[in-house]
Every structure is written in C-alpha cells, then in structure tokens.
Amino acid sequence: MGMAGTTGTGSTTGVSGTTGAGSTGVAGTTGAGGSSTGVAGHGGTTGSARGGTTGTAGTTGTAGRGGTTGTAGTTGAAGRGGTTGTAGTTGRGGTTGTAGTTGTGGSTMVDCSATLPSGGTAHNSSNASGTAAGMNWTIWSNGSGGSITTFDVPAFKATWANSGDFLARLGLQWNSTKTYDQLGTVTAQFSEKKTGDGGGYSYIGIYGWSQNPCVEFYIVDDSYKTMPVNPGSTVNKGTVDIDGGTYILYTRNTTGTGGSKCGSSVTSWVQFYSVRRTARTCGQISISQHFAAWAAAGMTLGKMDQAQILIEVGGGTGSIDFPVASVTAQ
C-alpha cells in the first residue's frame, strides 16, 4: 500500500503517499476545512496495491478544525443607547396660569390710589340737583341738609352733620324711558375714602329708581356699619356672585321718608337690595349683572329712571370722598 504521507493540515488534502506499486490510491474527497469542522481526510480508499509492505496510512490527518467556529462574540446587543430617553415628561408649560383673580373692578382696572381733584363746586342744600362731568348729581335730606362738591371729572365729595336721612349721588339719569335691557351694559367704577360716622344706617354703592313698577334699588358695597348690612323687614331672595364677591339679595316694602320718584300718587313701593358680604372701597360694579340677577330671582324692574353712585346715611357727622365716581351705559 502506498505511504500515507504527512498528515494533511487544516484540511489541505492529505498527500496520499508515494504511489505504490498498485494503482494510486484516490486521495478521498477533499476535507472541507471551512467553518464546519473539516471531515478528516481519508488517506484515500485503500489502494489494492500489490507489492510493498502495506503502508500504514498514518494516523488519519484531522482535517484541521480551523479552530472552533468562532462565535462572533455574543451578538452584541446593538447598544441600547441607554433606556430610550423619554424626552422628559412632556413639559406642561406649567398649569395654565389664571390671569390672577380679576381685579376688583373687573376687566377695567380702577385707580384705587386716586386722590380727589382740587377745586370743584360745592352745593349746600337739602334738595338740589344738577349736572357735572357729563352726569347728573343730586343731594337730598329730610333734616338739616349737607353738601356735595362736584368736579369737571367723574368724582365728588359729600359732607353732613346730624342731617337725618341724607343722600348725595352722581351718575346717570334716564327719566323712565327704557327698560334696563334696552340701556346696554350699565357699569360703575368707584373709589372712596370715608371719615366720621353715618348715624344709624349707611349705604355706599349704587342707588336708583324704576317706574311701573315703582322700585327703589340699592347695590351696597360698603357702609359705616359692619358689612353685610340689612335694612330690616326684608325678604331674602338668595345670593349671587358678581365682581369677585357674594351679594345677598333682599326685597323690602316701604313708604319711604320723602316720597318716591314715581309720582305723588305712589305712597308705598318696594325696595331691591344687593348687599355685598365683604366690604370694599374700590372697584367696578357691574350694575347690569345685578339687574339680571334680580330678574332671575323674580324681582322685576320697570322703566329705568336713574342709576347713580351713592352715599346715604341716617344721621351722624362725617364726610366721604369719591376720587373715582363714573357710571356708563354702552
């Protein structure tokens, strides 16, 4: 048999030895040395060689294993780049900012630090009226009277001394030609500083009348007394929130102390009240909203005569400045 030659390395086809006298042994199928473990090359099918000592085919060369098939490393986890960043919790931009509580005075800011203008015209009387700064003023008392000072701008000052029931006011006069909803939006802006006292009762706010039905009405934002005041003998009609405060609604039947604005034949009438629970000395009074709240509570107004910024006292000695006193209907 032919000599089996040196063991083939790495799947190089083993040389099948020097050809014996017989037929050359077939070197066998070439060992595949690829990545699969090479099949050990057979030293060829044993030739039926004649003559010569049967060559030992040598230890069958292991067709080089080409190394254990390299595992290309544990497949690298394709870098996770860190836990997928959640771009942070989506920024909410903060809770939507409430533009602050609407300032007292609603959307239009009132100058609460305003001071009374200089000069002015004083009117000393127990019953007088006129015009100033495009509005109407009135002074009335069933006692010793008092004084109202008006200016060329929407402002006024009032003083009194033991004058019984005393009223001073400045605002709009309509003479009972329209209902409140035909007037547009009626709004007041006020700022006040008071001194002294207001006797047995006092109302600071809005005052007016309607006819058919005859109604005397008040929106009370402040008083020389502790708020909320109650004129007595009232019927509670509920509450309403307007201009950042809660108002108590009342009706009250009265004969008044000086007659009505509804003619001499009317000797008794009804009063409507919106009384703010917490006093304030400056702000906007949304008068039309009070009219609508009264209507919703079954408190019916007639044709509108007037709506004016008011100081009313039941005696005492004192004064009040209104550096801002404006009523508009738009």
Side-chain angles (χ1 to χ4, degrees):
M1 299 182 65
M3 300 287 292
T6 306
T7 304
T9 57
S11 73
T12 301
T13 306
V15 181
S16 50
T18 305
T19 305
S23 299
T24 303
V26 182
T29 305
T30 303
S35 55
S36 298
T37 303
V39 179
H42 295 313
T45 304
T46 306
S48 53
R50 298 183 192 172
T53 306
T54 304
T56 308
T59 306
T60 303
T62 312
R65 295 170 53 189
T68 304
T69 302
T71 55
T74 303
T75 301
R80 295 170 55 190
T83 304
T84 302
T86 55
T89 303
T90 302
R92 298 173 52 191
T95 303
T96 302
T98 55
T101 304
T102 303
T104 57
S107 57
T108 302
M109 297 302 294
V110 178
D111 184 1
C112 295
S113 61
T115 57
L116 202 67
S118 59
T121 303
H123 312 276
N124 300 292
S125 176
S126 60
N127 190 3
S129 61
T131 60
M135 293 184 289
N136 295 82
W137 61 265
T138 300
I139 185 172
W140 182 92
S141 175
N142 63 0
S144 57
S147 173
I148 182 172
T149 300
T150 58
F151 302 87
D152 293 334
V153 295
F156 73 97
K157 177 184 181 72
T159 61
W160 59 92
N162 300 311
S163 49
D165 188 22
F166 170 83
L167 294 84
R169 56 194 191 268
L170 176 70
L172 297 182
Q173 181 78 46
W174 296 295
N175 299 315
S176 304
T177 58
K178 296 180 179 180
T179 58
Y180 79 86
D181 52 343
Q182 294 174 324
L183 296 173
T185 300
V186 185
T187 305
Q189 295 179 350
F190 82 104
S191 174
E192 48 98 349
K193 298 177 178 64
K194 55 186 181 294
T195 61
D197 70 272
Y201 55 87
S202 55
Y203 310 127
I204 301 169
I206 300 297
Y207 175 83
W209 289 85
S210 79
Q211 296 182 9
N212 299 314
C214 185
V215 178
E216 182 180 22
F217 63 81
Y218 295 82
I219 301 170
V220 183
D221 270 43
D222 193 17
S223 173
Y224 281 86
K225 300 292 185 181
T226 301
M227 291 286 282
V229 296
N230 188 326
S233 301
T234 56
V235 175
N236 189 311
K237 304 292 285 187
T239 62
V240 64
D241 291 337
I242 298 175
D243 295 322
T246 299
Y247 290 80
I248 306 168
L249 309 183
Y250 295 116
T251 60
R252 178 176 183 261
N253 295 320
T254 186
T255 58
T257 58
S260 74
K261 286 272 290 180
C262 303
S264 58
S265 63
V266 178
T267 57
S268 64
W269 58 94
V270 66
Q271 294 176 327
F272 291 174
Y273 289 85
S274 284
V275 180
R276 193 179 177 97
R277 280 182 170 162
T278 303
R280 64 172 176 165
T281 60
C282 180
Q284 175 170 296
I285 302 176
S286 299
I287 300 173
S288 289
Q289 292 186 32
H290 289 270
F291 293 164
W294 293 343
M299 301 160 65
T300 304
L301 292 166
K303 297 290 185 69
M304 303 304 296
D305 180 74
Q306 62 179 233
Q308 302 179 341
I309 294 174
L310 166 82
I311 172 66
E312 179 175 358
V313 298
T317 299
S319 68
I320 189 167
D321 291 349
F322 284 93
V324 178
S326 174
V327 181
T328 59
Q330 297 176 337

